[in-house]
């Protein structure tokens, strides 16, 4: 029997900003990224494509989005079509990026590296980033003792590093300079406010998604976990220059 993953749930719901801080955190982070028209940008683990489309539209960059979940890519393509935005979409794994060395001026990642062996993915981000280019990664982090086994069962996460551990992973991953841009606590209030301030015009839930019992069960488990351990979890934003 197929066991649905956390990413299956997000894909079926059409979630576009399930990462910490919501789309508000995305907008703030991108405002500090120095993106310019014509830059080649990779959204690694692009999900349903909201950030990739935003970068292409707002900054005039040449954007590629990659995700290993076929339904995510299908919905990303549909989003771009509806919005009239040009983005190249690729179905693939961030641990084995199908691009030549030094392909991108910037690589953007939002709540992706935590779900895979981080050292593998980070080496790939470094490989495809141009010399002098940057990788910016927004990820969950541990701010206290958290049950790693429960996190693995709920989210399929490979690990939940602390801010210091995330920094070390990037320092050891082939980058010349690593800087911690943000180290914040999780805030449900900020997440709700983000949804109000930045509503998604092109959210694409699958038909009858909320009638699927495994989806409602996953949402309940997530809520209970965050209610118990949310004060021990935060998120970081890292800029790593190649």
């Amino acid at each position: 029997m197929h066991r649905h993953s956390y990413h299956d749930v997000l894909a079926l719901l059409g979630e576009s900003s399930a990462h910490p801080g919501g789309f508000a955190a995305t907008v703030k982070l991108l405002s500090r990224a120095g993106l310019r028209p014509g830059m080649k940008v990779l959204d690694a683990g692009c999900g349903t494509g909201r950030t990739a489309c935003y970068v292409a539209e707002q900054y005039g960059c040449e954007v590629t989005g990659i995700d290993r979940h076929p339904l995510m890519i299908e919905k990303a393509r549909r989003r771009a079509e509806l919005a009239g935005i040009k983005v190249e979409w690729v179905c693939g794994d961030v641990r084995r990026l199908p691009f030549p060395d030094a392909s991108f001026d910037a690589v953007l990642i939002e709540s992706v590296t935590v779900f895979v062996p981080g050292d593998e993915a980070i080496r790939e981000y470094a490989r495809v980033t141009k010399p002098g280019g940057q990788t910016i990664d927004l990820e969950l982090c541990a701010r206290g003792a958290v049950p790693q086994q429960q996190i693995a069962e709920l989210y399929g996460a490979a690990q939940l590093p602390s801010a210091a551990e995330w920094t070390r992973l990037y320092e050891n991953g082939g980058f010349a300079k690593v800087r911690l841009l943000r180290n914040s606590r999780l805030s449900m209030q900020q997440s709700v406010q983000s949804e109000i301030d930045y509503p998604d015009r092109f959210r694409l839930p699958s038909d009858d998604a909320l009638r699927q019992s495994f989806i409602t069960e996953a949402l309940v488990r997530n809520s209970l976990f965050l209610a118990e351990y949310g004060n021990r979890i935060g998120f970081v934003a890292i800029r790593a220059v190649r």
Side-chain angles (χ1 to χ4, degrees):
M1 181 178 176
H2 174 67
R3 185 176 184 273
H4 294 280
S5 72
Y6 176 67
H7 292 92
D8 291 333
V9 171
L10 296 181
L12 288 164
L13 290 174
E15 279 292 343
S16 60
S17 302
H19 54 270
F23 202 67
T26 297
V27 171
K28 185 174 182 179
L29 199 55
L30 291 174
S31 72
R32 304 175 62 186
L35 300 178
R36 299 186 303 277
M39 278 187 167
K40 295 185 181 298
V41 176
L42 176 66
D43 185 351
C46 63
T48 61
R50 188 178 185 185
T51 295
C53 287
Y54 179 84
V55 170
E57 183 177 33
Q58 294 295 318
Y59 292 95
C61 298
E62 297 180 24
V63 182
T64 300
I66 185 169
D67 200 284
R68 67 182 177 183
H69 202 296
L71 183 56
M72 292 286 199
I73 291 295
E74 179 185 323
K75 292 189 175 185
R77 286 199 177 101
R78 181 61 177 150
R79 174 189 294 277
E81 289 169 2
L82 290 170
I85 296 169
K86 182 183 177 182
V87 175
E88 180 183 356
W89 305 108
V90 177
C91 194
D93 193 330
V94 299
R95 295 171 297 175
R96 292 177 291 277
L97 292 170
F99 310 109
D101 296 356
S103 293
F104 299 97
D105 298 291
V107 177
L108 308 175
I109 310 106
E110 294 176 302
S111 196
V112 173
T113 316
V114 73
F115 294 102
V116 297
D119 54 346
E120 294 179 20
I122 290 167
R123 283 196 296 269
E124 278 292 273
Y125 306 154
R127 182 183 66 77
V128 301
T129 302
K130 294 179 181 179
Q134 64 179 331
T135 287
I136 296 179
D137 194 356
L138 177 70
E139 297 288 346
L140 287 169
C141 72
R143 295 177 66 96
V146 290
Q148 297 283 349
Q149 182 61 37
Q150 195 170 344
I151 288 170
E153 291 171 359
L154 274 174
Y155 306 117
Q159 71 281 307
L160 189 60
S162 66
E165 288 167 340
W166 273 120
T167 301
R168 281 196 295 274
L169 279 168
Y170 269 91
E171 288 172 343
N172 295 331
F175 289 93
K177 184 167 61 175
V178 178
R179 181 183 173 198
L180 192 63
L181 296 180
R182 185 167 181 178
N183 184 5
S184 304
R185 293 186 179 277
L186 282 184
S187 168
M188 287 303 297
Q189 182 179 350
Q190 288 181 1
S191 297
V192 171
Q193 191 62 47
S194 175
E195 293 292 325
I196 295 169
D197 293 341
Y198 297 97
D200 185 0
R201 293 183 297 155
F202 301 112
R203 182 166 175 167
L204 299 166
S206 299
D207 292 341
D208 298 327
L210 288 175
R211 297 181 187 176
Q212 302 290 332
S213 60
F214 73 89
I215 290 182
T216 54
E217 288 166 7
L219 294 176
V220 169
R221 287 198 304 272
N222 179 66
S223 295
L224 291 173
F225 178 81
L226 291 178
E228 184 169 358
Y229 296 106
N231 63 335
R232 304 183 198 174
I233 300 173
F235 64 99
V236 294
I238 291 175
R239 173 186 282 146
V241 176
R242 185 73 172 86

